[in-house]
Amino acid sequence: MSIETTATDEVSVLAQLSEMLQELLEEYGLDDAEITMDTTFHDDLELESVDLVALSGQLREHYGERVNFATFIAERDLEEIIALTVGELVRYIVASLRATA
């Protein structure tokens, strides 16, 4: 495994997640959006549920079974999903990677 796929710190995971999100946002011409820990998926990035499904696939491809985005989302109600920030997902990914290391 490369260091890139095994990084378990928030800065590295944020950078990896930002790259994935930039790919998704390219489809909408928003690939220059600034992505921080406080960025929200719904209000700031204007991602829809279909985009979250695509992101789930990217996460699975990058991290394998260690990061289960569907479980992460399933534990939240609709208001929490709408308010979801990049930072919340970054912290979940870091915790998942550390738990399976």
Side-chain angles (χ1 to χ4, degrees):
M1 271 186 200
S2 69
I3 291 175
E4 179 182 82
T5 59
T6 59
T8 57
D9 64 279
E10 289 184 6
V11 173
S12 297
V13 171
L14 176 61
Q16 294 164 357
L17 184 57
S18 293
E19 286 180 26
M20 292 177 209
L21 289 168
Q22 294 293 355
E23 285 180 29
L24 282 175
L25 293 170
E26 279 180 17
E27 295 177 26
Y28 305 111
L30 300 172
D31 54 326
D32 60 345
E34 182 180 358
I35 298 172
T36 69
M37 293 290 275
D38 295 324
T39 301
T40 61
F41 289 97
H42 183 266
D43 291 342
D44 295 330
L45 300 180
E46 300 178 11
L47 296 182
E48 301 292 330
S49 58
V50 68
D51 300 312
L52 294 180
V53 171
L55 178 60
S56 175
Q58 286 183 306
L59 290 170
R60 182 173 299 251
E61 186 177 307
H62 190 81
Y63 296 110
E65 299 296 321
R66 300 180 298 165
V67 175
N68 190 329
F69 186 71
T71 300
F72 173 71
I73 289 294
E75 296 171 348
R76 286 159 173 68
D77 63 31
L78 182 58
E79 290 179 12
E80 290 174 314
I81 293 170
I82 290 171
L84 185 67
T85 66
V86 170
E88 290 174 272
L89 181 55
V90 165
R91 287 186 285 279
Y92 170 76
I93 292 169
V94 168
S96 296
L97 294 174
R98 287 181 178 165
T100 59

